[in-house]
Amino acid sequence: MRVGSTKSGRILIGIAVLALVAGACGGGAATEAPSGQATTAPSGQATTPPETGPVVVCELAYYTGSFAAYGKALTNDVRFPIEEVINDDPPLGRTWELVSEDIGDDHEGEAAKICLEQHGAEIVVSIAHQYRTYRDYMMEYWEENDSPLGPSVHGGAIPGNLGGKAAEPIFRAQGLDEALGTYGSLYASEQGLKKIVIFATQVEGFQLAADAAGKAAEILGLEVLARIDVQVNQPSYRAEAQKIADLKPDAVIVQAGSTESAAIIKGAAEAGLSLNWIGETGWAEAEFIGTLGKDPIASQKGIGFPSFAPNKATPAWDFFQPLWDAQTDKAYDATGQYAFSTYDLLIQTALAVEAAGSYKASAWAPAMFAVGDGGEVCYTYADCLKLIRDGKDVDYEGVTGPGLYSEGGVNAVTPAYIPFTAAGTTGEPVLLDAAKGLEILEQIVTKATCDPANPPNLCEW
């Protein structure tokens, strides 16, 4: 992130890397958000998005299924910028109202349809790893309605060449799942950990990250002793822990939810192992340490996860941090990746609406690029909004990083490894070699094959 008007080389590398990480990825009937802020349309009643009045923001939420432990916290991440910042002076004078639809493990498409057809949502938050199952529906809906806007916190399993366009207006806050796996291997390499095991549950995002970790390991000259794939929510992972013990790796790269991750680490510790455990961004959620406990941390050589770090040397942090930490019911402090990345994504979404003068995707998508580059630098929603209303171009710089996106709508971040301390809290980030990460990602990143090349189209991946 820059403080002046010239982009630094590090930032240019950051956006080229296509950012980093998707967190928890996860259907169902209308579900009230735990915060009490959700609204519910009458069953089966279709609504037409109004040109005036409140804007329905529909979150694809995680209240049941493999990521249920994260649901309340993730909803609060979406609620916070809406209620605490944006609705103080909403774009185009229309307040935002949050609705949350539970997607479980396999109902994301159904939930997205409810958002649109029952709630009349103009913004759908977190189109994610089940997108391939309902992309044809979304292509048709966007073509016919020029709506909804698609800011996504959890869209990292979607190939990087999809999104970022008026006909497919998906913009991702945390980058690609493959980058997470890549940076796990990169961290291992930088720490001299030569022999690794890759442990992953059979969830698409985790599988993508595990695949990338394996490919990156080969490029970096690491020896992958084994790839262990397991079903989610097994009653025990003792057999897998013993297999890891027998292999004697230097490190284990884990792509799994909090429960599975904690179980495999506990099992390995009970087997007498002391290893480096390199996890995934979901470990930032309180559920991971709550399940693992503090005792195994001291017995292991290291426990942490590749992710991205906030930029604390900026007015964006000075505004966000005290406001976030003043909450009495929060899952993590302001350094939590889901907290600040969701905040930046929705702030930039609102600024782009104001700059575009419209909630139409065809106007908003190009505005998402414009308000993050090329204008007067600003760091808060209020300051940027004033500049836009004064007729000026703006360059939003947030806590996550510069407001830059790749052509496919993937945000730039500062890649880092986040360690846990013996007290169960996160320690100081260890910045990773972004240039090396770029070099690796260019060789392994998954791209969708599409016909025609630009949406609306049919794509396979």
Side-chain angles (χ1 to χ4, degrees):
M1 181 184 301
R2 77 180 192 283
V3 178
S5 59
T6 303
K7 304 282 184 190
S8 70
R10 179 178 63 81
I11 290 172
L12 291 177
I13 289 173
I15 185 63
V17 173
L18 294 180
L20 174 65
V21 194
C25 299
T31 305
E32 183 173 315
S35 63
Q37 298 302 318
T39 58
T40 307
S43 178
Q45 176 181 327
T47 59
T48 301
E51 294 182 1
T52 60
V55 174
V56 174
V57 179
C58 195
E59 176 209 13
L60 300 176
Y62 297 86
Y63 299 149
T64 61
S66 302
F67 302 102
Y70 305 147
K72 181 179 178 181
L74 296 175
T75 291
N76 185 56
D77 296 339
V78 177
R79 180 207 64 80
F80 177 82
I82 295 174
E83 294 186 3
E84 304 297 331
V85 181
I86 294 169
N87 277 351
D88 285 346
D89 190 1
L92 306 184
R94 298 174 59 196
T95 57
W96 289 11
E97 292 185 355
L98 177 61
V99 176
S100 294
E101 282 292 332
D102 179 29
I103 71 171
D105 280 330
D106 57 3
H107 302 308
E108 185 180 315
E110 179 183 346
K113 293 175 183 179
I114 293 172
C115 285
L116 298 171
E117 297 175 7
Q118 295 187 22
H119 298 304
E122 294 177 77
I123 303 174
V124 174
V125 179
S126 286
I127 292 172
H129 73 267
Q130 298 173 40
Y131 178 55
R132 70 167 79 226
T133 67
Y134 64 102
R135 184 176 184 268
D136 292 348
Y137 169 87
M138 292 303 303
M139 284 285 102
E140 182 178 349
Y141 196 94
W142 276 316
E143 187 173 16
E144 293 179 356
N145 298 281
D146 202 7
S147 179
L149 315 183
S152 177
V153 183
H154 311 301
I158 303 171
N161 61 323
L162 301 184
K165 302 174 180 63
E168 192 168 26
I170 299 173
F171 286 78
R172 281 158 278 194
Q174 298 187 355
L176 303 177
D177 287 358
E178 288 164 300
L180 172 61
T182 297
Y183 282 99
S185 291
L186 181 60
Y187 174 76
S189 176
E190 291 182 354
Q191 297 299 311
L193 307 172
K194 299 297 186 180
K195 298 181 178 182
I196 65 173
V197 169
I198 299 173
F199 175 91
T201 53
Q202 294 177 340
V203 173
E204 182 172 3
F206 292 147
Q207 288 290 305
L208 275 172
D211 290 346
K215 294 174 183 177
E218 182 179 356
I219 294 170
L220 290 163
L222 306 181
E223 181 180 358
V224 180
L225 301 175
R227 163 78 176 262
I228 303 173
D229 292 315
V230 299
Q231 294 292 334
V232 298
N233 297 324
Q234 288 184 192
S236 171
Y237 294 94
R238 290 180 181 176
E240 290 80 8
Q242 186 58 54
K243 182 176 181 180
I244 292 171
D246 294 341
L247 290 165
K248 297 182 173 60
D250 298 321
V252 182
I253 293 178
V254 181
Q255 293 298 323
S258 293
T259 301
E260 295 87 357
S261 298
I264 193 67
I265 295 173
K266 283 183 175 180
E270 291 169 358
L273 280 181
S274 181
L275 295 173
N276 290 280
W277 298 90
I278 304 170
E280 60 89 31
T281 311
W283 289 12
E285 299 283 348
E287 178 69 15
F288 172 67
I289 289 296
T291 304
L292 179 65
K294 299 176 184 178
D295 291 344
I297 300 176
S299 71
Q300 300 302 300
K301 293 178 180 177
I303 299 176
F305 56 95
S307 185
F308 47 93
N311 187 336
K312 299 181 181 180
T314 168
W317 174 260
D318 294 341
F319 174 81
F320 167 74
Q321 181 270 321
L323 190 64
W324 176 271
D325 284 340
Q327 299 176 94
T328 57
D329 185 18
K330 58 184 183 293
Y332 27 73
D333 67 20
T335 63
Q337 289 80 7
Y338 291 100
F340 65 78
S341 64
T342 306
Y343 167 82
D344 277 340
L345 176 69
L346 293 185
I347 293 299
Q348 190 159 347
T349 293
L351 293 174
V353 168
E354 184 72 31
S358 173
Y359 279 91
K360 295 300 184 183
S362 57
W364 175 76
M368 279 291 282
F369 293 104
V371 300
D373 190 24
E376 185 171 340
V377 176
C378 52
Y379 302 93
T380 69
Y381 175 70
D383 288 348
C384 294
L385 193 67
K386 184 179 185 302
L387 290 171
I388 292 170
R389 289 174 177 171
D390 288 343
K392 298 180 180 179
D393 295 332
V394 301
D395 184 350
Y396 176 65
E397 299 277 353
V399 180
T400 310
L404 299 175
Y405 287 86
S406 71
E407 183 180 350
V410 183
N411 196 17
V413 299
T414 303
Y417 171 84
I418 314 297
F420 283 103
T421 69
T425 59
T426 53
E428 286 299 312
V430 178
L431 298 184
L432 303 178
D433 187 338
K436 187 66 175 181
L438 168 61
E439 178 186 337
I440 297 169
L441 275 172
E442 287 178 339
Q443 300 177 61
I444 68 175
V445 68
T446 298
K447 293 186 178 181
T449 302
C450 301
D451 185 23
N454 292 315
N457 54 10
L458 296 175
C459 297
E460 295 181 354
W461 66 93

